[in-house]
Amino acid sequence: MSGCIFCRVVAGTAPSTKVYEDDVLLAFLDIRPITRGHTLVIPKTHATDLNDLEPALGARLFAFGHRLAKAVRRGDLAADGANLVINDGKAAFQTVDHVHLHVVPRRSGDKLAFARG
Ligand code: 5GP
């Protein structure tokens, strides 16, 4: 969708640091990370919010988030856990109108609150 920043990331007309890509999903680093390795997972096709998203695609989105939450515990990221969050709708502080799953690596004692609102 023209005008959607995440559609531009998918199209390659906006810059991103890609973490993963397949036929339906793209994962890339958040431009304002809450913690090191904070990643956004999105469907490549535009869906404004969960109400607009095919359930099968929602399942793919979460399945990849699950994989990523396990992966961030290994290697350089060395997380002890992760927050997986979808801010769904303006009332829930969704600021980019293209469904995205936040995967926020957490380290013991980092004492960060996820919510920005
Ligand atoms: P929301 O509040 O909608 O759940 O989160 C939107 C997220 O998208 C924020 O964490 C914000 O930092 C991130 N974001 C907004 N614009 C861009 C962008 O152009 N590139 C990247 N990589 N992240 C973005």
Side-chain angles (χ1 to χ4, degrees), residues 5-6 9 14-17 28-34 38 40 85-88 92-98 100 102 114 116:
I5 183 63
F6 288 176
V9 166
S16 70
T17 302
F28 54 98
L29 296 180
D30 195 294
I31 205 167
R32 284 178 54 212
I34 294 173
H38 178 178
L40 302 173
V85 174
I86 294 178
N87 295 324
D88 183 38
F93 299 105
Q94 181 178 357
T95 60
V96 176
D97 289 338
H98 183 132
H100 48 283
H102 295 259
F114 180 77
R116 283 181 170 136

